[in-house]
């Protein structure tokens, strides 16, 4: 792939995000006409329009939408590979700062070990991030990447890999009527006050962690709001509400005699994903994403 072809793809990806030739040019540090030129060249190679242009709007054609869906992961993988090779060539020192929510499970520990084996000169710092601010630390450059609960629908963040699919568990006080059950149905959440998440987390994300209704449409009472996992567990132990957790987090805290962890049937599984910033992702973060993906591949094999 020549440098011109790579630049064409980059211009298309940025234009697909901005849907504005001027803003795309600003992000690419080129003129608006240069963005148009790169796009025309790419469309000429493909043989059909990828973008619809009118005096009022810019939008993707159906072919452009399909091309974007296939190109984005391939482009990110290629960029990560190049960054990894560059880092390896210069010894790849520095620091990788990883944020996480909940606990560092075995899978994540394996990925960290693989990264350390591959890049022994790069120091790793691991920090817990608040439930109430899953994406802020990446945006503020407090961490290079973060392992967060899904869903993630943030345009300025790159998501992937996604891993650790697990059933959801309901944390309740040991005094709660559901504490002795082997499992509960999702519809029974209508009888629980679910502890929610306070702060700057997007509403769609907070709703996913503490839904306002059951899959059948029954309303779920809202409990108190918390900023951190520890706050939520403390309120759970005090029987102020119940909290949904992934199985690995429940198992990690299972030694608490004041809290019971009951599997929930009928809810979508919990998933974790690695996020990094689209614009200022570090080579270390890109390489760690590669290590997470390789660990996922080994587990699948």
């Amino acid at each position: 792939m020549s440098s011109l072809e790579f630049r064409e793809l980059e211009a298309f990806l940025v234009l697909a995000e901005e849907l504005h030739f001027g803003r795309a040019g600003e992000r690419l540090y080129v003129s608006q006409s240069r963005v148009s030129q790169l796009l025309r060249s790419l469309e000429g190679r493909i043989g059909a329009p990828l973008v619809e242009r009118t005096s009022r709007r810019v939008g993707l054609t159906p072919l452009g939408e399909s091309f974007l869906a296939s190109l984005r992961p391939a482009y990110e993988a290629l960029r990560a590979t190049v960054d990894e090779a560059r880092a390896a060539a210069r010894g790849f020192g520095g620091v990788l700062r990883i944020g996480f929510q909940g606990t560092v499970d075995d899978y994540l520990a394996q990925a960290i070990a693989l990264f350390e084996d591959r890049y022994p000169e790069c120091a790793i710092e691991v920090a817990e991030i608040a439930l109430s601010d899953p994406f802020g630390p990446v945006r503020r450059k407090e961490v290079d990447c973060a392992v967060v609960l899904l869903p993630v629908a943030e345009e300025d963040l790159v998501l992937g890999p996604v891993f650790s699919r697990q059933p959801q568990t309901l944390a309740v006080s040991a005094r709660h009527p559901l504490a002795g059950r082997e499992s509960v149905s999702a519809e029974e959440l209508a009888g629980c006050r679910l502890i929610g998440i306070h702060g700057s987390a997007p509403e769609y994300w907070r709703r996913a962690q503490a839904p306002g209704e059951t899959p059948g449409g029954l309303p779920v009472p809202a409990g108190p709001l918390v900023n951190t996992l520890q706050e939520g567990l403390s309120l759970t132990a005090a029987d102020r509400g119940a909290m949904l957790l992934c199985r690995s987090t429940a198992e990690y805290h299972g030694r608490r005699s004041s809290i019971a962890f009951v599997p929930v049937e009928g809810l979508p599984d919990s998933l974790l994903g690695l996020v990094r910033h689209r614009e200022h992702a570090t080579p270390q973060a890109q390489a760690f994403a590669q290590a997470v993906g390789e660990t996922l591949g080994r587990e699948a094999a």
Side-chain angles (χ1 to χ4, degrees), residues 130-141:
L131 285 178
S132 60
D133 192 18
F135 311 127
V138 173
R139 288 177 170 139
R140 295 190 296 269
K141 301 183 182 181

Side-chain angles (χ1 to χ4, degrees), residues 166-278:
Q166 298 179 19
Q168 298 208 54
T169 300
L170 184 67
V172 295
S173 167
R175 307 189 301 274
H176 195 280
L178 297 178
R181 296 273 295 275
E182 292 186 1
S183 65
V184 298
S185 72
E187 298 306 309
E188 289 179 280
L189 295 178
C192 300
R193 296 178 68 233
L194 278 188
I195 294 172
I197 299 172
H198 186 69
S200 61
E203 182 177 1
Y204 76 85
W205 189 87
R206 289 186 280 112
R207 282 292 184 184
Q209 316 313 324
E213 62 180 29
T214 69
L218 296 175
V220 177
L225 301 178
V226 299
N227 287 300
T228 68
L229 175 61
Q230 291 303 322
E231 288 177 11
L233 292 173
S234 296
L235 289 175
T236 299
D239 204 15
R240 295 282 303 281
M243 195 172 190
L244 286 172
L245 301 172
C246 65
R247 185 176 60 187
S248 63
T249 300
E251 290 175 348
Y252 180 82
H253 294 281
R255 63 183 181 274
R256 290 175 177 244
S257 59
S258 57
I259 300 177
F261 299 93
V262 187
V264 181
E265 298 177 352
L267 285 181
D269 287 345
S270 164
L271 281 166
L272 296 176
L274 184 72
V275 295
R276 55 199 186 279
H277 202 276
R278 191 174 299 280

Side-chain angles (χ1 to χ4, degrees), residues 40-118:
R40 285 196 300 270
S41 179
L42 178 61
E43 290 176 328
R45 295 178 192 277
I46 292 176
L50 299 173
V51 174
E52 295 176 328
R53 316 163 184 80
T54 70
S55 59
R56 295 184 177 182
R57 63 181 296 273
V58 175
L60 298 183
T61 65
L63 177 61
E65 294 280 4
S66 175
F67 184 62
L68 175 65
S70 299
L71 174 62
R72 192 184 298 282
Y75 176 85
E76 294 295 343
L78 176 59
R79 188 170 66 175
T81 299
V82 172
D83 288 342
E84 183 179 352
R86 287 173 175 169
R90 63 174 181 263
F92 210 96
V95 178
L96 170 66
R97 299 162 300 173
I98 306 170
F100 70 94
Q101 291 183 309
T103 61
V104 177
D105 61 11
D106 291 341
Y107 178 82
L108 185 58
Q110 291 175 31
I112 291 174
L114 175 60
F115 182 90
E116 288 178 323
D117 288 342
R118 186 169 292 170

Side-chain angles (χ1 to χ4, degrees), residues 134-135 138 144-148 152 157-161 273-277 285:
F135 311 127
V138 173
D144 300 303
C145 55
V147 177
V148 299
V152 175
L157 301 181
V158 176
L159 170 65
L274 184 72
V275 295
R276 55 199 186 279
H277 202 276

